[in-house]
């Protein structure tokens, strides 16, 4: 809305604004919704991670429809200071509200979320990995048609590797 308002003020027509918005592509790894054949949606949001952005991503994941299975692939949030493990544990309620089918975690800080989800008696698949490659390789055979996957973590955790690995494996994935 703000961009449209500025564009109008600079003399662009509504048709020009609509054309520009239709061609817009966000920055790599910032809430990009991508398709993975057959009919899977992948939310690539691995540019950065904070408690606020994680919770917003969980809300987006939760809004994807009741009939779809949801997967949360999460890596550490970094640079949070001395309360970093507390911040990771506090993600559990918002994540659980998204009703994920499975939660796949990577990184030492995400062990705090793993333990919290166990305490909360999360009944879905719950796994922890040492590398993003391991996470992607474990996820790939689990995916079914119409699944939705959120990939999120701090930039230094290199969660784009999960997307790249899934993309390489996608011809082999079953329906």
């Amino acid at each position: 809305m703000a961009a449209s308002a500025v564009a109008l003020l600079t003399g662009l027509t509504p048709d020009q604004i609509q054309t520009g918005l239709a061609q817009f592509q966000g920055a790599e790894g910032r809430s990009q919704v991508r398709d993975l054949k057959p009919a899977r949606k992948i939310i690539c949001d691995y540019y950065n991670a904070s408690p606020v952005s994680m919770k917003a991503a969980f809300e987006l994941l939760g809004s994807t429809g009741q009939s779809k299975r949801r997967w949360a692939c999460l890596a550490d949030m970094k640079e949070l200071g001395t309360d970093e493990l507390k911040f990771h544990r506090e993600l559990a309620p918002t994540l659980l509200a998204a009703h994920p089918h499975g939660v796949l975690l990577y990184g030492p800080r995400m062990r705090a979320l793993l333990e919290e989800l166990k305490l909360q008696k999360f009944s879905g698949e719950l796994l922890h990995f040492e590398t993003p490659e391991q996470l992607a390789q474990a996820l790939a055979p689990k995916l079914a048609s119409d699944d939705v996957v959120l990939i999120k973590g701090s930039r230094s955790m290199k969660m784009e590797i999960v997307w790249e690995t899934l993309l390489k494996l996608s011809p082999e994935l079953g329906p």
Side-chain angles (χ1 to χ4, degrees):
M1 295 294 287
S4 295
V6 170
L8 285 170
L9 287 172
T10 61
L12 293 177
T13 67
D15 286 341
Q16 291 171 316
I17 295 168
Q18 185 175 7
T19 299
L21 289 173
Q23 295 173 355
F24 174 77
Q25 295 208 354
E28 176 67 26
R30 289 188 185 219
S31 296
Q32 294 175 306
V33 179
R34 294 176 163 167
D35 294 318
L36 182 68
K37 294 179 184 178
R40 297 172 183 98
K41 295 286 182 200
I42 312 295
I43 304 167
C44 296
D45 194 2
Y46 40 70
Y47 188 80
N48 67 10
S50 68
V52 171
S53 71
M54 281 281 199
K55 291 174 183 178
F58 300 159
E59 290 172 6
L60 175 61
L61 181 64
S63 72
T64 60
Q66 294 297 337
S67 63
K68 298 178 188 276
R69 290 191 323 169
R70 299 177 190 101
W71 297 88
C73 300
L74 309 173
D76 290 352
M77 299 180 290
K78 294 223 178 153
E79 301 172 3
L80 297 178
T82 57
D83 288 333
E84 66 183 7
L85 297 180
K86 173 180 146 285
F87 291 133
H88 283 77
R89 281 190 300 275
E90 289 176 347
L91 296 174
T94 310
L95 176 57
L96 292 172
H99 304 289
H101 175 78
V103 177
L104 285 72
L105 304 169
Y106 154 58
R109 294 162 186 87
M110 276 297 165
R111 288 193 183 279
L113 178 57
L114 176 83
E115 294 306 318
E116 186 63 29
L117 290 170
K118 287 178 181 178
L119 286 172
Q120 299 282 328
K121 303 204 183 316
F122 173 63
S123 62
E125 292 195 47
L126 181 59
L127 301 167
H128 187 274
F129 300 91
E130 297 302 316
T131 69
E133 293 91 351
Q134 291 171 344
L135 188 154
Q137 290 167 354
L139 175 65
K142 297 176 184 300
L143 290 179
S145 187
D146 288 332
D147 281 2
V148 178
V149 178
L150 168 66
I151 305 171
K152 182 122 180 94
S154 281
R155 179 71 199 97
S156 63
M157 297 302 291
K158 301 187 183 302
M159 288 298 278
E160 70 274 9
I161 292 170
V162 175
W163 163 248
E164 292 164 0
T165 303
L166 290 175
L167 196 58
K168 287 176 193 170
L169 295 173
S170 67
E172 302 167 16
L173 295 174

